[in-house]
Amino acid sequence: MTMETGEPLRRTHAALLESIQATVKAFDEGARGNVAVLVPPFSSFAVMPRDLHSSKGLSISRTVLSGFPDGEPLDDVNGSIAILEGCHHLYRMSIGGFAVLRKFLRDIEEDDGRLFITVWNAKAWKYLDQAVGLGAHFPVQLRMPELCQNELRDIIMEKYDEGEIDFQYDDMPTKEPIVEWLPHEYSFMGKDRETSLPRIDGNALRRALLRRKVYLSAEEKVFSQIHYLSKGNLGAAQEIWIRSLDYPVIRPSYVLNACKRFMMDNGEAFVAANILRKGKVSMEEMREDIGDQVPLDLIVSNLRNKGIVNSDGSVLKIRAENLSFTLDSLAKHGMV
């Protein structure tokens, strides 16, 4: 099994494998329940035949789809237990684009002599489940959980020595007076008199109360922000860390500056959502998928300029450090 480093992630992968192995055991005993493993963007989960054991000695095969298949997805799949990764590539956004996926679902239903263990991008799964009722075909659905703040911290800090990273707080604002004494005139026993009365500066009081909250350490604050901005996604958290670290110093403000807020229009959200669901997709495939539904070249250029998308050659991917803001913007358009 291929996995990223970090004990928390090893435990997560081990738990998923244990659940998959339970379905293999049930299949050996005559009960078939096809499996869907749902993996968040920027996360990885690979199941190798050696990770699973059949008490009956049933053969196990593994097939990885890295793009839309040229032929039938099951043409070259062997073994009584078939591992299929990258299943989110089995559809297109063009007219008739669900035909291959629907055929795949029919085939695995009818091939009841085999157990299918499939791995999907979690965002694509949600979309496809709404579109074609994907979940009904997979009695066993396993979701890779997002990581908590301490788990992200442990994985990121694993490669550093103790004390190597200098966590620093940003400079605090200069202390400002909350109460000011203002002259006040009044009459007493027929004489005009003057005294001073206090006036509370509401804005200064609010800022003081915020400063008086129990402080996190600089390290806790940094990882609190990373966890919030990554939504617990390891790939996003690692990218934010890399962009925040001015080795060996890191500050909370560096974390905030590593991410970029933006807004998307409907066309940009449509394209970004498709890239997110596929994980990565070539411009050629996007053109075949979208056709003339939107001005693709212009939109991709806008997505690059806004910091939403980057490219490796002609392959497009969502920028990991801006995943949180991408999801927020897509949610406003009803696309996640």
Side-chain angles (χ1 to χ4, degrees):
M1 178 180 61
T2 301
M3 64 171 65
E4 296 141 290
T5 59
E7 185 57 32
L9 206 59
R10 284 191 285 270
R11 289 196 300 267
T12 297
H13 283 228
L16 288 173
L17 276 181
E18 185 177 347
S19 297
I20 296 171
Q21 179 58 53
T23 66
V24 173
K25 183 175 183 293
F27 184 61
D28 281 337
E29 296 171 353
R32 185 179 82 130
N34 288 329
V35 181
V37 183
L38 314 183
V39 181
F42 308 111
S43 301
S44 63
F45 180 74
V47 187
M48 300 297 181
R50 64 175 178 269
D51 295 324
L52 305 175
H53 169 71
S54 168
S55 60
K56 288 188 174 182
L58 299 177
S59 57
I60 304 174
S61 68
R62 176 175 180 255
T63 302
V64 178
L65 300 174
S66 57
F68 189 76
D70 293 329
E72 296 293 335
L74 298 182
D75 281 352
D76 299 321
V77 174
N78 301 307
S80 298
I81 299 170
I83 302 165
L84 293 164
E85 297 181 13
C87 293
H88 43 275
H89 292 293
L90 290 172
Y91 78 99
R92 308 297 290 266
M93 288 301 297
S94 54
I95 295 174
F98 290 153
V100 170
L101 176 60
R102 293 184 189 276
K103 176 67 162 52
F104 168 75
L105 296 174
R106 288 196 301 271
D107 288 348
I108 66 172
E109 285 289 338
E110 294 169 0
D111 194 353
D112 55 8
R114 287 201 284 180
L115 174 68
F116 292 91
I117 298 164
T118 61
V119 182
W120 307 74
N121 177 308
K123 297 302 179 185
W125 172 274
K126 182 178 179 181
Y127 167 70
L128 295 171
D129 190 26
Q130 294 171 343
V132 299
L134 198 57
H137 299 271
F138 297 92
V140 181
Q141 297 172 24
L142 306 174
R143 296 179 183 272
M144 177 180 285
E146 304 291 5
L147 298 175
C148 71
Q149 179 178 322
N150 288 338
E151 289 172 332
L152 288 178
R153 179 203 173 280
D154 290 347
I155 293 172
I156 289 173
M157 295 303 295
E158 189 176 50
K159 65 180 181 179
Y160 299 104
D161 294 330
E162 185 175 353
E164 181 179 351
I165 300 301
D166 183 10
F167 293 88
Q168 296 181 2
Y169 247 118
D170 297 301
D171 294 334
M172 297 298 293
T174 303
K175 186 175 180 180
E176 56 187 332
I178 298 172
V179 178
E180 58 180 338
W181 293 87
L182 300 177
H184 177 71
E185 294 182 353
Y186 67 100
S187 295
F188 181 70
M189 297 183 68
K191 292 184 178 182
D192 293 332
R193 300 176 186 270
E194 185 177 292
T195 187
S196 295
L197 294 178
R199 186 184 78 84
I200 296 176
D201 185 332
N203 291 330
L205 176 61
R206 190 178 304 110
R207 288 188 288 268
L209 290 173
L210 290 173
R211 289 198 299 271
R212 289 176 65 85
K213 286 184 176 180
V214 177
Y215 279 127
L216 300 173
S217 68
E219 181 175 354
E220 290 171 329
K221 184 66 174 177
V222 162
F223 282 107
S224 174
Q225 289 179 333
I226 289 176
H227 181 258
Y228 172 75
L229 291 169
S230 67
K231 295 189 184 294
N233 182 289
L234 178 59
Q238 289 174 321
E239 187 64 25
I240 293 169
W241 171 266
I242 291 170
R243 292 176 176 275
S244 304
L245 181 64
D246 185 10
Y247 184 85
V249 175
I250 189 168
R251 295 170 176 253
S253 62
Y254 296 177
V255 176
L256 295 178
N257 291 335
C259 304
K260 184 178 180 181
R261 292 183 180 274
F262 44 74
M263 296 178 64
M264 288 189 269
D265 62 28
N266 284 331
E268 291 165 350
F270 176 69
V271 173
N274 281 285
I275 297 171
L276 182 66
R277 292 169 190 152
K278 294 293 182 75
K280 57 182 180 180
V281 60
S282 69
M283 279 292 291
E284 180 182 359
E285 183 173 330
M286 287 292 290
R287 284 195 179 92
E288 292 174 359
D289 272 7
I290 293 175
D292 57 359
Q293 297 180 62
V294 295
L296 183 61
D297 289 329
L298 175 61
I299 286 177
V300 169
S301 177
N302 290 341
L303 292 175
R304 284 196 183 105
N305 291 336
K306 290 182 178 183
I308 302 169
V309 164
N310 62 12
S311 59
D312 180 5
S314 64
V315 177
L316 305 172
K317 295 187 286 188
I318 296 295
R319 293 185 64 145
E321 72 275 17
N322 290 328
L323 174 64
S324 178
F325 297 142
T326 299
L327 293 175
D328 289 346
S329 186
L330 292 179
K332 292 177 182 177
H333 292 275
M335 294 188 185
V336 289

